[in-house]
Short mmCIF file of all heavy atoms in Angstrom, two decimals:
data_model
loop_
_atom_site.label_atom_id
_atom_site.label_comp_id
_atom_site.label_asym_id
_atom_site.label_seq_id
_atom_site.Cartn_x
_atom_site.Cartn_y
_atom_site.Cartn_z
N SER A 260 -36.10 -125.14 77.69
CA SER A 260 -35.55 -124.21 78.68
C SER A 260 -35.50 -124.85 80.06
O SER A 260 -34.53 -124.67 80.81
CB SER A 260 -36.40 -122.93 78.72
OG SER A 260 -36.34 -122.24 77.49
N THR A 261 -36.53 -125.60 80.41
CA THR A 261 -36.55 -126.28 81.70
C THR A 261 -35.46 -127.35 81.78
O THR A 261 -34.78 -127.49 82.81
CB THR A 261 -37.93 -126.93 81.94
OG1 THR A 261 -38.95 -125.91 81.87
CG2 THR A 261 -37.99 -127.61 83.29
N LEU A 262 -35.27 -128.09 80.71
CA LEU A 262 -34.23 -129.12 80.69
C LEU A 262 -32.84 -128.50 80.74
O LEU A 262 -31.92 -129.07 81.32
CB LEU A 262 -34.38 -130.00 79.45
CG LEU A 262 -35.64 -130.87 79.40
CD1 LEU A 262 -35.75 -131.59 78.07
CD2 LEU A 262 -35.64 -131.87 80.55
N ASN A 263 -32.69 -127.32 80.15
CA ASN A 263 -31.40 -126.62 80.23
C ASN A 263 -31.07 -126.25 81.66
O ASN A 263 -29.89 -126.22 82.05
CB ASN A 263 -31.42 -125.38 79.34
CG ASN A 263 -31.23 -125.71 77.88
OD1 ASN A 263 -30.66 -126.73 77.53
ND2 ASN A 263 -31.72 -124.84 77.00
N ILE A 264 -32.09 -125.94 82.45
CA ILE A 264 -31.86 -125.66 83.88
C ILE A 264 -31.31 -126.90 84.57
O ILE A 264 -30.35 -126.82 85.35
CB ILE A 264 -33.16 -125.19 84.55
CG1 ILE A 264 -33.59 -123.83 84.02
CG2 ILE A 264 -32.99 -125.12 86.06
CD1 ILE A 264 -34.89 -123.32 84.59
N GLU A 265 -31.91 -128.06 84.28
CA GLU A 265 -31.44 -129.30 84.90
C GLU A 265 -30.00 -129.59 84.48
O GLU A 265 -29.18 -130.03 85.31
CB GLU A 265 -32.35 -130.46 84.49
CG GLU A 265 -33.81 -130.30 84.92
CD GLU A 265 -33.95 -130.16 86.42
OE1 GLU A 265 -33.22 -130.85 87.16
OE2 GLU A 265 -34.78 -129.33 86.86
N LYS A 266 -29.69 -129.35 83.24
CA LYS A 266 -28.33 -129.58 82.75
C LYS A 266 -27.34 -128.64 83.45
O LYS A 266 -26.26 -129.06 83.89
CB LYS A 266 -28.29 -129.35 81.23
CG LYS A 266 -26.91 -129.51 80.62
CD LYS A 266 -26.98 -129.25 79.12
CE LYS A 266 -25.59 -129.32 78.49
NZ LYS A 266 -25.65 -129.03 77.03
N ALA A 267 -27.71 -127.36 83.57
CA ALA A 267 -26.82 -126.40 84.23
C ALA A 267 -26.67 -126.71 85.71
O ALA A 267 -25.59 -126.53 86.29
CB ALA A 267 -27.36 -124.98 84.04
N ARG A 268 -27.74 -127.19 86.34
CA ARG A 268 -27.65 -127.56 87.75
C ARG A 268 -26.67 -128.71 87.94
O ARG A 268 -25.87 -128.71 88.89
CB ARG A 268 -29.04 -127.95 88.28
CG ARG A 268 -29.02 -128.31 89.77
CD ARG A 268 -30.37 -128.80 90.25
NE ARG A 268 -31.36 -127.73 90.26
CZ ARG A 268 -32.47 -127.74 89.56
NH1 ARG A 268 -32.75 -128.77 88.77
NH2 ARG A 268 -33.33 -126.75 89.62
N ALA A 269 -26.72 -129.70 87.04
CA ALA A 269 -25.79 -130.82 87.14
C ALA A 269 -24.35 -130.37 86.90
O ALA A 269 -23.42 -130.81 87.58
CB ALA A 269 -26.18 -131.90 86.14
N THR A 270 -24.17 -129.47 85.95
CA THR A 270 -22.82 -128.94 85.68
C THR A 270 -22.28 -128.20 86.89
O THR A 270 -21.09 -128.35 87.25
CB THR A 270 -22.85 -128.00 84.46
OG1 THR A 270 -23.35 -128.71 83.32
CG2 THR A 270 -21.46 -127.46 84.14
N TYR A 271 -23.11 -127.42 87.53
CA TYR A 271 -22.69 -126.71 88.74
C TYR A 271 -22.34 -127.70 89.85
O TYR A 271 -21.37 -127.52 90.59
CB TYR A 271 -23.79 -125.76 89.20
CG TYR A 271 -23.55 -125.19 90.59
CD1 TYR A 271 -22.39 -124.48 90.88
CD2 TYR A 271 -24.49 -125.38 91.60
CE1 TYR A 271 -22.17 -123.97 92.14
CE2 TYR A 271 -24.27 -124.85 92.86
CZ TYR A 271 -23.11 -124.15 93.13
OH TYR A 271 -22.89 -123.65 94.38
N GLY A 272 -23.13 -128.78 89.96
CA GLY A 272 -22.84 -129.79 90.98
C GLY A 272 -21.48 -130.44 90.77
O GLY A 272 -20.74 -130.69 91.72
N ILE A 273 -21.13 -130.69 89.51
CA ILE A 273 -19.82 -131.27 89.21
C ILE A 273 -18.71 -130.31 89.60
O ILE A 273 -17.70 -130.69 90.22
CB ILE A 273 -19.73 -131.62 87.71
CG1 ILE A 273 -20.71 -132.76 87.37
CG2 ILE A 273 -18.30 -132.01 87.34
CD1 ILE A 273 -20.80 -133.06 85.90
N GLN A 274 -18.87 -129.02 89.24
CA GLN A 274 -17.83 -128.05 89.53
C GLN A 274 -17.69 -127.80 91.03
O GLN A 274 -16.59 -127.64 91.56
CB GLN A 274 -18.12 -126.74 88.80
CG GLN A 274 -16.97 -125.75 88.78
CD GLN A 274 -15.74 -126.33 88.11
OE1 GLN A 274 -15.78 -126.71 86.96
NE2 GLN A 274 -14.63 -126.38 88.83
N ARG A 275 -18.82 -127.78 91.73
CA ARG A 275 -18.79 -127.54 93.17
C ARG A 275 -18.12 -128.71 93.90
O ARG A 275 -17.46 -128.52 94.92
CB ARG A 275 -20.22 -127.34 93.69
CG ARG A 275 -20.30 -127.02 95.17
CD ARG A 275 -21.73 -126.79 95.59
NE ARG A 275 -22.56 -127.94 95.30
CZ ARG A 275 -23.86 -128.00 95.57
NH1 ARG A 275 -24.45 -126.96 96.11
NH2 ARG A 275 -24.57 -129.08 95.28
N ALA A 276 -18.28 -129.93 93.34
CA ALA A 276 -17.68 -131.11 93.97
C ALA A 276 -16.16 -131.05 93.96
O ALA A 276 -15.50 -131.69 94.79
CB ALA A 276 -18.15 -132.37 93.25
N ALA A 277 -15.59 -130.24 93.05
CA ALA A 277 -14.13 -130.12 92.99
C ALA A 277 -13.56 -129.41 94.21
O ALA A 277 -12.35 -129.48 94.46
CB ALA A 277 -13.72 -129.38 91.72
N LEU A 278 -14.40 -128.75 95.00
CA LEU A 278 -13.93 -128.09 96.21
C LEU A 278 -13.61 -129.10 97.32
O LEU A 278 -12.93 -128.76 98.29
CB LEU A 278 -14.99 -127.10 96.72
CG LEU A 278 -15.24 -125.86 95.84
CD1 LEU A 278 -16.47 -125.12 96.32
CD2 LEU A 278 -14.02 -124.95 95.86
N LEU A 279 -14.11 -130.32 97.19
CA LEU A 279 -13.91 -131.34 98.20
C LEU A 279 -13.05 -132.47 97.64
O LEU A 279 -13.08 -132.74 96.43
CB LEU A 279 -15.27 -131.90 98.65
CG LEU A 279 -16.26 -130.88 99.24
CD1 LEU A 279 -17.60 -131.54 99.49
CD2 LEU A 279 -15.70 -130.26 100.51
N PRO A 280 -12.28 -133.13 98.50
CA PRO A 280 -11.47 -134.24 98.00
C PRO A 280 -12.34 -135.42 97.58
O PRO A 280 -13.43 -135.64 98.12
CB PRO A 280 -10.59 -134.59 99.20
CG PRO A 280 -11.34 -134.09 100.39
CD PRO A 280 -12.07 -132.87 99.94
N THR A 281 -11.86 -136.15 96.60
CA THR A 281 -12.55 -137.35 96.13
C THR A 281 -12.00 -138.56 96.89
O THR A 281 -10.79 -138.84 96.85
CB THR A 281 -12.33 -137.56 94.62
OG1 THR A 281 -12.84 -136.41 93.93
CG2 THR A 281 -13.04 -138.80 94.13
N LEU A 282 -12.87 -139.25 97.60
CA LEU A 282 -12.48 -140.39 98.42
C LEU A 282 -13.06 -141.66 97.81
O LEU A 282 -14.25 -141.73 97.52
CB LEU A 282 -12.98 -140.21 99.85
CG LEU A 282 -12.54 -141.25 100.88
CD1 LEU A 282 -11.03 -141.18 101.08
CD2 LEU A 282 -13.26 -141.02 102.21
N SER A 283 -12.20 -142.65 97.59
CA SER A 283 -12.67 -143.91 97.00
C SER A 283 -12.03 -145.09 97.73
O SER A 283 -10.93 -144.98 98.29
CB SER A 283 -12.32 -143.98 95.51
OG SER A 283 -10.91 -143.93 95.31
N ALA A 284 -12.74 -146.20 97.76
CA ALA A 284 -12.23 -147.43 98.36
C ALA A 284 -11.68 -148.32 97.27
O ALA A 284 -12.20 -148.36 96.14
CB ALA A 284 -13.34 -148.14 99.12
N SER A 285 -10.64 -149.04 97.60
CA SER A 285 -10.03 -149.92 96.59
C SER A 285 -9.60 -151.23 97.25
O SER A 285 -9.30 -151.30 98.44
CB SER A 285 -8.81 -149.25 95.95
OG SER A 285 -7.79 -149.03 96.90
N ALA A 286 -9.63 -152.26 96.46
CA ALA A 286 -9.11 -153.57 96.86
C ALA A 286 -8.33 -154.11 95.68
O ALA A 286 -8.81 -154.05 94.54
CB ALA A 286 -10.24 -154.51 97.26
N LYS A 287 -7.15 -154.62 95.91
CA LYS A 287 -6.32 -155.07 94.79
C LYS A 287 -5.52 -156.31 95.17
O LYS A 287 -5.25 -156.59 96.34
CB LYS A 287 -5.37 -153.95 94.35
CG LYS A 287 -4.37 -153.53 95.42
CD LYS A 287 -3.47 -152.40 94.90
CE LYS A 287 -2.45 -151.99 95.98
NZ LYS A 287 -1.55 -150.92 95.50
N GLU A 288 -5.20 -157.03 94.14
CA GLU A 288 -4.32 -158.19 94.27
C GLU A 288 -3.32 -158.14 93.12
O GLU A 288 -3.68 -157.77 91.99
CB GLU A 288 -5.11 -159.49 94.19
CG GLU A 288 -4.20 -160.73 94.16
CD GLU A 288 -4.94 -161.98 93.72
OE1 GLU A 288 -6.15 -161.88 93.39
OE2 GLU A 288 -4.30 -163.05 93.68
N SER A 289 -2.08 -158.48 93.39
CA SER A 289 -1.09 -158.56 92.33
C SER A 289 -0.31 -159.86 92.49
O SER A 289 -0.03 -160.30 93.62
CB SER A 289 -0.12 -157.37 92.37
OG SER A 289 0.64 -157.38 93.57
N ALA A 290 0.01 -160.50 91.39
CA ALA A 290 0.76 -161.76 91.39
C ALA A 290 1.75 -161.73 90.24
O ALA A 290 1.42 -161.24 89.15
CB ALA A 290 -0.19 -162.95 91.27
N ALA A 291 2.98 -162.26 90.49
CA ALA A 291 4.01 -162.27 89.46
C ALA A 291 4.85 -163.54 89.60
O ALA A 291 5.17 -163.98 90.71
CB ALA A 291 4.89 -161.03 89.58
N ARG A 292 5.20 -164.13 88.49
CA ARG A 292 6.07 -165.32 88.47
C ARG A 292 7.36 -164.97 87.76
O ARG A 292 7.36 -164.44 86.65
CB ARG A 292 5.37 -166.46 87.75
CG ARG A 292 6.21 -167.75 87.68
CD ARG A 292 5.46 -168.82 86.92
NE ARG A 292 6.21 -170.08 86.92
CZ ARG A 292 7.19 -170.40 86.06
NH1 ARG A 292 7.58 -169.50 85.13
NH2 ARG A 292 7.81 -171.57 86.13
N THR A 293 8.49 -165.28 88.38
CA THR A 293 9.82 -165.02 87.81
C THR A 293 10.48 -166.35 87.47
O THR A 293 10.63 -167.22 88.36
CB THR A 293 10.70 -164.24 88.80
OG1 THR A 293 10.03 -163.05 89.19
CG2 THR A 293 12.04 -163.90 88.18
N PRO A 294 10.87 -166.59 86.20
CA PRO A 294 11.52 -167.86 85.82
C PRO A 294 12.82 -168.04 86.58
O PRO A 294 13.45 -167.09 87.06
CB PRO A 294 11.76 -167.70 84.31
CG PRO A 294 10.81 -166.65 83.89
CD PRO A 294 10.66 -165.72 85.06
N ALA A 295 13.26 -169.28 86.64
CA ALA A 295 14.48 -169.60 87.39
C ALA A 295 15.71 -168.93 86.81
O ALA A 295 16.61 -168.50 87.55
CB ALA A 295 14.67 -171.13 87.43
N ASP A 296 15.79 -168.85 85.45
CA ASP A 296 16.98 -168.27 84.86
C ASP A 296 17.05 -166.76 85.03
O ASP A 296 18.07 -166.14 84.72
CB ASP A 296 17.08 -168.64 83.38
CG ASP A 296 15.86 -168.18 82.62
OD1 ASP A 296 14.85 -167.81 83.27
OD2 ASP A 296 15.89 -168.20 81.37
N LEU A 297 15.97 -166.15 85.48
CA LEU A 297 15.98 -164.72 85.75
C LEU A 297 15.99 -164.42 87.25
O LEU A 297 16.15 -163.27 87.65
CB LEU A 297 14.76 -164.03 85.10
CG LEU A 297 14.69 -164.06 83.58
CD1 LEU A 297 13.41 -163.38 83.10
CD2 LEU A 297 15.91 -163.37 82.98
N SER A 298 15.78 -165.44 88.03
CA SER A 298 15.72 -165.25 89.47
C SER A 298 17.12 -165.13 90.05
O SER A 298 18.06 -165.80 89.60
CB SER A 298 14.98 -166.42 90.12
OG SER A 298 15.07 -166.34 91.53
N THR A 299 17.25 -164.31 91.06
CA THR A 299 18.55 -164.14 91.72
C THR A 299 18.93 -165.37 92.52
O THR A 299 20.10 -165.59 92.85
CB THR A 299 18.51 -162.91 92.64
OG1 THR A 299 17.46 -163.07 93.59
CG2 THR A 299 18.29 -161.65 91.83
N THR A 300 17.96 -166.21 92.85
CA THR A 300 18.23 -167.42 93.63
C THR A 300 18.38 -168.65 92.75
O THR A 300 18.69 -169.73 93.25
CB THR A 300 17.10 -167.64 94.64
OG1 THR A 300 15.89 -167.88 93.92
CG2 THR A 300 16.94 -166.46 95.56
N GLY A 301 18.11 -168.49 91.47
CA GLY A 301 18.18 -169.63 90.57
C GLY A 301 16.98 -170.54 90.66
O GLY A 301 16.98 -171.63 90.08
#
């Protein structure tokens, strides 16, 4: 019964968090190579 309280408290915390926006930091890199026969410049 005590552990069920902890579980319900965590569930409530998850649902309450939906009232606020989720903010995350990101860092990304992208790289692409295009062959000569497909390139517009040749």
Side-chain angles (χ1 to χ4, degrees):
S260 296
T261 302
L262 293 174
N263 282 335
I264 293 178
E265 299 301 321
K266 178 181 176 181
R268 182 185 291 120
T270 301
Y271 169 57
I273 293 173
Q274 192 60 58
R275 183 178 57 180
L278 292 169
L279 301 174
T281 300
L282 186 65
S283 62
S285 64
K287 63 181 181 179
E288 174 195 2
S289 64
R292 180 181 184 276
T293 305
D296 58 347
L297 295 179
S298 172
T299 58
T300 64

